[in-house]
Amino acid sequence: MQQTSAPSLQTSNNPSDRQDISGLLLVILVSLWIVFVSGALHFVAWTVEEMLLVMGLAWPGWGWFLIAIGQGMLIGLAAIPLSRMWPSERYRAVFNTWALSSVFVLILSPIKLIQPPSTQLANLLQIILVGFFLAMMVAHLRHRDREFRLRSGKPATAQMLALIIAIIVIYPWLAWGALGSVLDTVLNLIAGLLFGFTAALLLTYYLFIPLRQTSTGIGRDLVLGGLATGTALLVMTSSLGFNGIQILLMLFIPALCIAIAGVGWYGQNEDEGTNWLSIFLLIGLTVAAPMIFFDPDELVLLLAFGVKDIPYWAFSAAIISMLIACSFGAVIMLARRHLAGSKPRMPMLGILILTWVIGAFILVGLGQRGLHGDQLFVIMADQADLDGIGVKVDSDRRSELVYKRLVEQAENSQADIRRVLDTLGIAYTPYYLVNGLAVDGGPVLRLWLERRSDVDHVIDNPVLRPLPSLEETSYGNDDAPREPTWNLTRIGADRVWRDFGVDGEGIVIGHADSGIQGDHPELIASYRGYASGDDYNWFDPWYGSTSPVDSSGHGTHTLGTILGASTGVAPGAQWFGCANLARGLGNPALYLDCLQFLLAPFPNGGDPFTDGDPSRSAQVINNSWLCPELEGCDGRTLIEAIKALRQAGIFMAVAAGNEGPWCGSVRFPPATFEEVFSVGAINQSGNIASFSSIGPVESDASGRIKPDLVAPGDGILSSFPQDTYEVQAGTSMASPHVAGVVALMWSANPSLIGDIEQTEKILAETASPYQGRQPACVDGSKVPNSGSGYGVLNAYEAVKTALAFQ
């Protein structure tokens, strides 16, 4: 860089600048190399990471750090030598810009070591590291020119043009995104604007000024400047953000390259300053939008399969923004002869006001209003002591005793922390099944909470931001069965109905899942609220629906396997339910919302602490869900709730997980707990399904044998929304078989109701020997083992043994 002021545009007389064809070809080749390295590394790595997440496998915490280091080095090795040695100042400026971009990647690489869901910490570190790079760059500029100072171009129309382009480009984000907490929004805005300021100075003083000093014509300058800008921004945005945000930025920010170059050239023949301020506004605002309006923790493929969830809307916004940016680039190229000359006589201020008013209307009228930050879940140190409530107490009485003791403990031990939170005006929701509170707050509040002597520990309670539109209701593609399906005959459920006349009558199933189509032909007659109403029979902590509904179909399918009229193991049982999953995910508070409701149901709008009625509690609960770290749970989060439900005499059937077939893949609560009955899946051939998680439990270092047994879970036909039927697979489909068999056992012999230990013993002892293939790491000669547990669920033998139990 020879000077920092911006001279008027002039055509270079240096033949090496005008005729350096080899330099131009080299620029193109290096640009292709950079695009390939950055694009391939990030898009492939992100896809692999997400597929591992879907399979329940962990992406190494140092993976993204090594990718950033590798990317920075591969780009730097190509650009840095050329930035020093290439004879043409014009192309040397391009290589220098890319070299600095590679340094930016290396400096920001430590961000990649922070694991989700610590987005606020990562954002703070991001701001610090971008600031560090900015300070280094300014120091270098001052070293090159002791009189260096920032001077913005005088035409205010340049800034207006930048603001017009920026707001129109981010229209999709305003319409389809949702704000996080105040802290999230502020940190992301600061990060985006700081990045924009840094990129603006880098592009202005290391690229645009040298190009203008060696100009070969504004058209060529825009093309070369645009190519260099787009490539540099691809590299720099790849290191900004985390958990997929960088992928969104890489999709559309480089497409602004011609628009950025055009703004940089705007009105420059009539001013000695530079347009760094305009470039800063354009880049800063467009980069900040995705980070502000989409939560990186929600950019997971787990939310993308078959539904229009966050990944769909985020990537749609990025693609539309890319198209808008390209359109502005085309317009600027067509109007290039008017950019640097006389000031345009456009009503720029009026256009600016109009575009921003439209943006405000989109945000308020079409966007998702309000702040939607994550919560904390505070687990109190004093948990209720339920010893002394034994199996000999009548099961209805046990539920009442457990409920009263839990509520009393929570009310007493939470009194002080609630008082302080009320004084501070901090919103919270108390819980009793686990003595704790869901609290609206961020890192500062967390530090205070963790220091309290009455708090055991604090975990994240992630909350999904709202979608632009409601989930589309799923639709099945199969017909209703005309005879018992293979899974029912495989466990002998049809023989139970025929030989013993037992169908689950008198047993109440509690179902917590994605929801339930309550009026499905398979389920409507067995709904406990069919005649009495939805009070005490349905609870939706997600959307507040007052009667059973289900859009994804997961809950309708799993309940249909338990007690569907023609698809269920125990068609005579009754059910009531709760929605703890939406869009395939939950969090600790939502899981507790439903478990509390299943222990002590309350009317719509009721208070779980004062309006719960344990006499209406579930007797058997199916849990076709798990709570991994992604949803906020650690190994201790739900254990007190599970222990309390067991003390209340409620049987818990739990899906083992779909992270198999690797040993130790039963990893997430509640399937890992000793206090539940965990179920793996077999297919129609009698082999353990390829997806079924197997033990032993390594997450808590217990080495516990899980699953407890296996049941049909692959190719299961059951009820689905819109009065349809669908075949699905998963351990989610296996555990309902156990819940249904327990309903048959307890219906056959009511003296077993609430006797969890004896029920589990009968299930284990009557299981059919597993005769299929075992994973290589499982010793199938031992029973139980971590592949198939005690064997294959046998409904006929279990009910037969239950009938004989005294």
Side-chain angles (χ1 to χ4, degrees):
M1 184 187 69
Q2 296 181 344
Q3 64 182 55
T4 57
S5 61
S8 61
L9 279 172
Q10 57 185 1
T11 301
S12 173
N13 294 317
N14 187 340
S16 66
D17 287 333
R18 288 187 286 111
Q19 301 177 7
D20 189 2
I21 302 301
S22 59
L24 178 60
L25 291 176
L26 192 58
V27 164
I28 294 173
L29 289 174
V30 174
S31 176
L32 290 174
W33 167 250
I34 292 174
V35 170
F36 171 76
V37 168
S38 301
L41 281 177
H42 283 267
F43 281 89
V44 172
W46 181 76
T47 301
V48 171
E49 179 188 30
E50 293 304 308
M51 293 307 298
L52 290 175
L53 175 63
V54 170
M55 293 187 293
L57 301 178
W59 171 267
W62 39 262
W64 279 111
F65 174 73
L66 291 185
I67 287 172
I69 295 295
Q71 178 194 10
M73 293 180 65
L74 288 172
I75 295 172
L77 288 173
I80 291 174
L82 294 171
S83 71
R84 299 284 183 176
M85 299 183 297
W86 198 257
S88 167
E89 178 186 355
R90 187 172 179 80
Y91 298 125
R92 197 165 61 244
V94 174
F95 297 132
N96 197 30
T97 301
W98 295 344
L100 287 170
S101 300
S102 70
V103 174
F104 184 84
V105 171
L106 293 173
I107 288 178
L108 265 69
S109 60
I111 297 172
K112 309 301 184 183
L113 292 172
I114 298 179
Q115 298 300 299
S118 304
T119 54
Q120 292 176 340
L121 175 61
N123 232 332
L124 185 60
L125 178 60
Q126 182 169 254
I127 291 170
I128 293 171
L129 293 178
V130 173
F132 176 69
F133 177 86
L134 176 62
M136 289 180 56
M137 185 172 63
V138 171
H140 180 257
L141 288 170
R142 287 177 173 168
H143 175 74
R144 295 286 300 270
D145 184 352
R146 294 184 180 276
E147 297 182 1
F148 167 79
R149 61 190 179 93
L150 293 178
R151 294 186 59 204
S152 180
K154 293 178 182 177
T157 48
Q159 287 95 58
M160 292 183 190
L161 178 61
L163 290 171
I164 290 169
I165 296 174
I167 191 64
I168 295 175
V169 168
I170 67 173
Y171 278 170
W173 307 96
L174 300 177
W176 296 338
L179 294 172
S181 67
V182 172
L183 181 60
D184 288 326
T185 303
V186 170
L187 287 176
N188 282 306
L189 180 61
I190 292 173
L193 293 178
L194 186 61
F195 175 87
F197 182 54
T198 303
L201 295 192
L202 190 156
L203 294 171
T204 297
Y205 291 100
Y206 289 94
L207 177 64
F208 292 157
I209 288 178
L211 290 185
R212 285 167 52 202
Q213 290 173 336
T214 59
S215 176
T216 59
I218 191 169
R220 295 176 183 175
D221 291 347
L222 284 178
V223 172
L224 181 60
L227 174 65
T229 296
T231 305
L233 288 176
L234 179 72
V235 175
M236 295 176 72
T237 53
S238 71
S239 61
L240 195 68
F242 25 85
N243 296 358
I245 286 291
Q246 74 274 21
I247 305 296
L248 301 176
L249 295 171
M250 292 169 70
L251 280 174
F252 83 96
I253 295 297
L256 282 164
C257 58
I258 298 296
I260 292 169
V263 167
W265 261 257
Y266 193 89
Q268 288 299 285
N269 270 356
E270 300 191 357
D271 190 75
E272 294 185 353
T274 63
N275 278 345
W276 69 264
L277 178 58
S278 305
I279 298 171
F280 153 61
L281 292 172
L282 178 53
I283 297 177
L285 292 173
T286 52
V287 165
M291 298 194 296
I292 288 174
F293 286 101
F294 283 93
D295 184 350
D297 291 333
E298 297 179 26
L299 289 172
V300 292
L301 289 180
L302 192 64
L303 286 172
F305 290 112
V307 294
K308 292 183 178 180
D309 213 295
I310 291 297
Y312 170 87
W313 294 106
F315 281 94
S316 295
I319 292 171
I320 293 176
S321 290
M322 178 181 65
L323 295 176
I324 295 172
C326 290
S327 299
F328 274 114
V331 171
I332 285 173
M333 284 300 299
L334 292 174
R336 61 186 180 276
R337 296 184 182 278
H338 304 285
L339 285 176
S342 61
K343 300 173 186 177
R345 299 177 179 178
M346 296 175 60
M348 197 70 76
L349 180 59
I351 295 174
L352 174 64
I353 294 173
L354 176 62
T355 55
W356 277 76
V357 168
I358 292 173
F361 172 78
I362 291 173
L363 178 61
V364 176
L366 302 179
Q368 323 323 306
R369 299 180 185 178
L371 300 174
H372 308 278
D374 287 349
Q375 295 178 326
L376 303 172
F377 194 83
V378 182
I379 299 177
M380 306 300 291
D382 293 330
Q383 298 293 321
D385 182 5
L386 300 177
D387 289 343
I389 304 177
V391 69
K392 293 184 179 180
V393 179
D394 180 77
S395 101
D396 290 342
R397 177 66 176 155
R398 286 166 65 188
S399 295
E400 182 180 352
L401 291 174
V402 167
Y403 173 67
K404 287 184 176 180
R405 193 171 297 182
L406 289 170
V407 169
E408 181 181 356
Q409 177 68 22
E411 292 281 16
N412 292 336
S413 61
Q414 294 175 16
D416 184 64
I417 193 171
R418 289 193 207 175
R419 179 184 55 78
V420 176
L421 293 173
D422 287 336
T423 301
L424 296 174
I426 297 172
Y428 64 89
T429 301
Y431 290 85
Y432 64 81
L433 195 56
V434 169
N435 186 11
L437 309 94
V439 181
D440 291 345
V444 175
L445 182 62
R446 182 172 191 157
L447 288 174
W448 171 72
L449 290 168
E450 289 178 330
R451 292 177 182 274
R452 289 181 59 98
S453 60
D454 56 352
V455 171
D456 183 76
H457 66 293
V458 181
I459 59 175
D460 292 305
N461 189 54
V463 179
L464 291 174
R465 298 187 192 182
L467 295 174
S469 62
L470 295 177
E471 298 173 76
E472 295 180 357
T473 302
S474 301
Y475 187 91
N477 297 305
D478 288 280
D479 297 324
R482 296 183 178 180
E483 57 185 20
T485 52
W486 78 269
N487 49 301
L488 299 179
T489 58
R490 182 60 177 266
I491 65 173
D494 58 330
R495 295 174 60 205
V496 171
W497 311 331
R498 183 179 65 247
D499 294 354
F500 303 132
V502 174
D503 63 1
E505 183 178 357
I507 304 303
V508 178
I509 304 293
H511 199 60
D513 210 293
S514 65
I516 302 160
Q517 185 199 333
D519 60 355
H520 194 287
E522 293 287 330
L523 307 174
I524 185 170
S526 55
Y527 176 40
R528 193 173 67 178
Y530 178 62
S532 62
D534 296 308
D535 282 346
Y536 301 97
N537 293 312
W538 176 250
F539 178 44
D540 181 0
W542 272 98
Y543 302 118
S545 63
T546 56
S547 59
V549 293
D550 182 19
S551 59
S552 80
H554 190 270
T556 301
H557 193 282
T558 50
L559 182 61
T561 300
I562 300 173
L563 47 64
S566 63
T567 60
V569 175
Q574 282 190 315
W575 66 271
F576 71 105
C578 181
N580 63 5
L581 297 174
R583 298 147 60 187
L585 294 176
N587 61 36
L590 287 161
Y591 291 130
L592 287 173
D593 279 324
C594 283
L595 291 176
Q596 288 184 162
F597 180 73
L598 299 183
L599 170 66
F602 44 84
N604 282 318
D607 184 342
F609 276 73
T610 58
D611 299 324
D613 184 356
S615 69
R616 303 172 188 255
S617 72
Q619 295 167 310
V620 180
I621 297 176
N622 178 65
N623 304 270
S624 289
W625 52 267
L626 301 171
C627 188
E629 293 91 340
L630 175 70
E631 299 179 10
C633 283
D634 59 22
R636 298 178 290 165
T637 304
L638 299 174
I639 186 60
E640 295 299 329
I642 300 303
K643 287 180 177 179
L645 293 169
R646 188 179 180 93
Q647 282 290 89
I650 299 173
F651 187 95
M652 303 281 287
V654 177
N658 300 327
E659 288 73 49
W662 294 274
C663 279
S665 53
V666 179
R667 300 193 299 127
F668 304 126
T672 54
F673 297 154
E674 183 179 3
E675 291 79 5
V676 303
F677 205 78
S678 304
V679 189
I682 59 170
N683 56 30
Q684 200 162 352
S685 299
N687 293 311
I688 295 173
S690 60
F691 52 78
S692 187
S693 292
I694 58 177
V697 176
E698 298 174 351
S699 57
D700 60 3
S702 66
R704 186 178 301 115
I705 298 295
K706 289 286 181 176
D708 293 291
L709 51 68
V710 291
D714 193 6
I716 307 302
L717 176 66
S718 187
S719 47
F720 220 60
Q722 302 189 58
D723 295 345
T724 61
Y725 296 80
E726 181 75 345
V727 171
Q728 294 203 325
T731 57
S732 287
M733 284 69 235
S735 64
H737 290 80
V738 170
V741 170
V742 172
L744 293 176
M745 294 167 61
W746 288 5
S747 177
N749 187 349
S751 67
L752 278 172
I753 295 175
D755 192 342
I756 309 299
E757 290 186 5
Q758 186 61 41
T759 301
E760 290 177 338
K761 182 180 179 182
I762 293 174
L763 288 170
E765 291 178 349
T766 60
S768 301
Y770 174 74
Q771 298 178 336
R773 294 190 300 270
Q774 287 280 12
C777 58
V778 174
D779 183 359
S781 64
K782 296 181 179 179
V783 177
N785 59 66
S786 289
S788 54
Y790 284 94
V792 182
L793 176 67
N794 189 323
Y796 187 84
E797 291 299 325
V799 173
K800 180 180 177 181
T801 303
L803 283 167
F805 177 76
Q806 300 295 325

